[in-house]
Amino acid sequence: MAFTFFFRDLHSIERTLDLFIPLVTGKSVIKIWDAGCANGPEPYTLAILLNEKMNKFQFKNVKIICTDIDLSNQFGDIIEKGIYSNEEVARIPQDYLEKYFTKISDNKVQVIDEIRNKLTFYKHDLLTLTSIGNDFSLILCKNVLLHFTYEERIKVINMFYNSLSPNGLLVTEQTQKLPDEFKGKFEQVASDAQIYKKL
């Protein structure tokens, strides 16, 4: 199973949301694509923090589409149910854990419906270069691009570019700067994180 955990790379996510929330003010549909979501900790972290930072009317408009190649054929079921072991949620701050998770057994908790209903999972291979949609205000693709060749990265990022709404944000792993080929297509909007705005 892919390596991931709740509240991973919190600095980048918080910086992203500080830039993202003002960009989507007034939008009736706010679409987010988490590409390479593994079994769900990253998109659930994102949904929790969006609920904390947005007003309730704005959060109501959020839809997070999660995709992964999912060689285990288990991620969709895990994300849909939102059930995780105590070990898997150990890094979540206690106040968030109590607010957003319900204990269902001695060793299992479940994400509350309000958050769980924001996520939809699709099995998807990025290298098909077929987008799952368009007009995304935010695309996260972290810990995935480094597994691709340089040429594959360019093709996948170009697909993301075409899938983003004007001024939409693309967020990559801290180690993954965008190739020079995307100068004029994206502008880095944070000096301390790999956050790029579509031009």
Side-chain angles (χ1 to χ4, degrees), residues 1 38-39 70-80 121 123:
M1 194 169 278
N39 64 338
D70 186 17
L71 297 174
S72 69
N73 288 316
Q74 296 176 354
F75 294 167
D77 192 45
I78 294 169
I79 290 169
E80 185 181 337
F121 175 82
K123 189 168 180 175

Side-chain angles (χ1 to χ4, degrees), residues 2-177:
F3 173 75
T4 186
F5 52 84
F6 285 91
F7 284 71
R8 181 172 183 247
D9 194 15
L10 183 59
H11 169 76
S12 287
I13 292 177
E14 289 189 322
R15 289 288 287 121
T16 298
L17 297 187
D18 288 344
L19 294 161
F20 171 72
I21 292 171
L23 280 177
V24 296
T25 298
K27 288 193 87 165
S28 58
V29 179
I30 301 168
K31 290 170 60 182
I32 298 169
W33 179 5
D34 190 323
C37 65
N39 64 338
E42 181 176 78
Y44 274 128
T45 299
L46 190 66
I48 288 168
L49 292 175
L50 280 168
N51 189 56
E52 288 290 313
K53 292 171 180 280
M54 284 178 154
N55 66 55
K56 65 179 181 179
F57 300 107
Q58 197 177 26
F59 185 67
K60 211 161 92 173
N61 298 331
V62 169
K63 299 176 188 294
I64 302 175
I65 300 174
C66 319
T67 66
D68 200 283
I69 195 168
D70 186 17
L71 297 174
S72 69
N73 288 316
Q74 296 176 354
F75 294 167
D77 192 45
I78 294 169
I79 290 169
E80 185 181 337
K81 291 176 180 169
I83 295 173
Y84 296 93
S85 69
N86 291 344
E87 291 75 22
E88 289 174 296
V89 299
R91 297 173 191 249
I92 299 176
Q94 190 62 32
D95 54 339
Y96 287 166
L97 192 58
E98 291 171 5
K99 185 174 179 181
Y100 292 106
F101 292 80
T102 304
K103 183 176 178 178
I104 58 170
S105 73
D106 285 346
N107 189 44
K108 300 254 184 217
V109 294
Q110 185 171 30
V111 183
I112 63 170
D113 289 353
E114 182 185 3
I115 299 298
R116 208 166 74 240
N117 293 340
K118 290 291 161 192
L119 273 60
T120 306
F121 175 82
Y122 296 103
K123 189 168 180 175
H124 180 260
D125 181 356
L126 290 171
L127 292 180
T128 63
L129 305 178
T130 304
S131 177
I132 59 160
N134 53 32
D135 200 31
F136 287 99
S137 298
L138 172 63
I139 297 176
L140 290 97
C141 186
K142 301 170 75 191
N143 207 28
V144 177
L145 294 172
L146 73 167
H147 298 293
F148 297 160
T149 67
Y150 188 81
E151 292 75 20
E152 287 170 341
R153 282 201 292 275
I154 288 173
K155 289 175 182 175
V156 170
I157 294 166
N158 201 54
M159 175 183 66
F160 289 153
Y161 177 84
N162 291 327
S163 303
L164 282 166
S165 59
N167 296 317
L169 298 179
L170 172 65
V171 182
T172 64
E173 188 77 7
Q174 275 295 79
T175 56
Q176 286 296 309
K177 291 188 180 297

